[in-house]
Amino acid sequence: MCSSDLNLKLACLNSFLVSRGSTLTHLSCSTLILSTRDLLVLRKHCSSLERLDGRFSVDNTVDRVAVQADSHAAHEAEYSDLASLSVFIDSPWSQWAEVVARHPWKSLKHLDLNGRLSCRVLQVLVAEAPLLESLSVTNWPNEMVAGGMAFEDSWVPGVLEANPLPSLREFTLRMDSDHYVEEGFLTKTSLSHLLHHAVVHCPRLEKVVGEWTKVPDREISQL
């Protein structure tokens, strides 16, 4: 077994993962995502991960603006096989699903993410992980991501579209405590969707934590 705790430029992290990722069972990393291709490097070369703790941030340049890397960080040739991919941050999930299926998480049981995320990035990371037992997402205000702020009701069906979560025990979807917004971004609609899905597909689910806005206790009990 091998674990690693890293805080590197993502290009340098990818270089490390290409050479050593197959030995990792636990990875904790903090990085800015400039290309969704980088997430596929993670999936392809860390196929034995059992736990991923990621502090990922996405800004509005992802997949749209060519960022000039400094010379020491130019490692793209090491994963050139991913350069021809036609999917990008705005591609529909139907296109992403085919690509992600090539690099399944065969052992992943714990996924803990925080940062300025987008629903698509979450889908790419959570998909093809049938053994996933705990999924925790803590988001920051996401004003830099095109098309949304923090959470909204499409996130829950988006996650379930990518992974029905048959082994899930704990599910957390919340804002960072320092950025709590009183009105919230999730409503009864997504909570109901999650619970109805869980009745059929998630027999082991024991704990749900989230910030669903102003759902009265009596309605929670009915759900």
Side-chain angles (χ1 to χ4, degrees), residues 20 31-32 55 76 81 100 116 126 130 135 137 142 149 174 183 186 191:
R20 299 296 301 275
T31 187
L32 176 67
R55 180 173 176 174
E76 290 83 354
D81 57 312
V100 173
R116 283 190 170 91
V126 79
L135 173 60
V137 182
N142 223 4
M149 294 179 69
R174 63 188 174 192
E183 290 300 316
L186 298 167
L191 177 58

Side-chain angles (χ1 to χ4, degrees), residues 105-144:
W105 295 121
K106 297 179 180 180
S107 305
L108 191 67
K109 294 183 178 180
H110 306 284
L111 183 58
D112 190 341
L113 304 173
N114 75 82
R116 283 190 170 91
L117 300 168
S118 70
C119 185
R120 178 67 74 243
V121 167
L122 178 56
Q123 285 181 302
V124 172
L125 290 171
V126 79
E128 296 294 328
L131 300 183
L132 197 63
E133 295 181 0
S134 66
L135 173 60
S136 178
V137 182
T138 303
N139 214 7
W140 305 347
N142 223 4
E143 67 279 356
M144 295 177 68

Side-chain angles (χ1 to χ4, degrees), residues 23-107:
T23 67
L24 295 177
T25 57
H26 179 191
L27 175 63
S28 177
C29 60
S30 175
T31 187
L32 176 67
I33 299 171
L34 297 176
S35 170
T36 43
R37 180 181 62 177
D38 295 317
L39 300 174
L40 297 175
V41 175
L42 178 65
R43 293 192 63 113
K44 179 178 180 179
H45 295 283
C46 299
S47 57
S48 298
L49 278 184
E50 297 175 8
R51 183 180 188 96
L52 172 59
D53 299 311
R55 180 173 176 174
F56 297 121
S57 290
V58 184
D59 66 23
N60 58 7
T61 68
V62 65
D63 288 347
R64 296 187 177 90
V65 177
V67 178
Q68 184 65 40
D70 47 83
S71 57
H72 87 277
H75 297 290
E76 290 83 354
E78 298 169 27
Y79 42 92
S80 58
D81 57 312
L82 298 174
S84 61
L85 290 176
S86 59
V87 291
F88 53 96
I89 194 71
D90 292 326
S91 296
W93 178 248
S94 58
Q95 295 180 21
W96 269 106
E98 180 181 351
V99 174
V100 173
R102 302 171 195 164
H103 311 296
W105 295 121
K106 297 179 180 180
S107 305

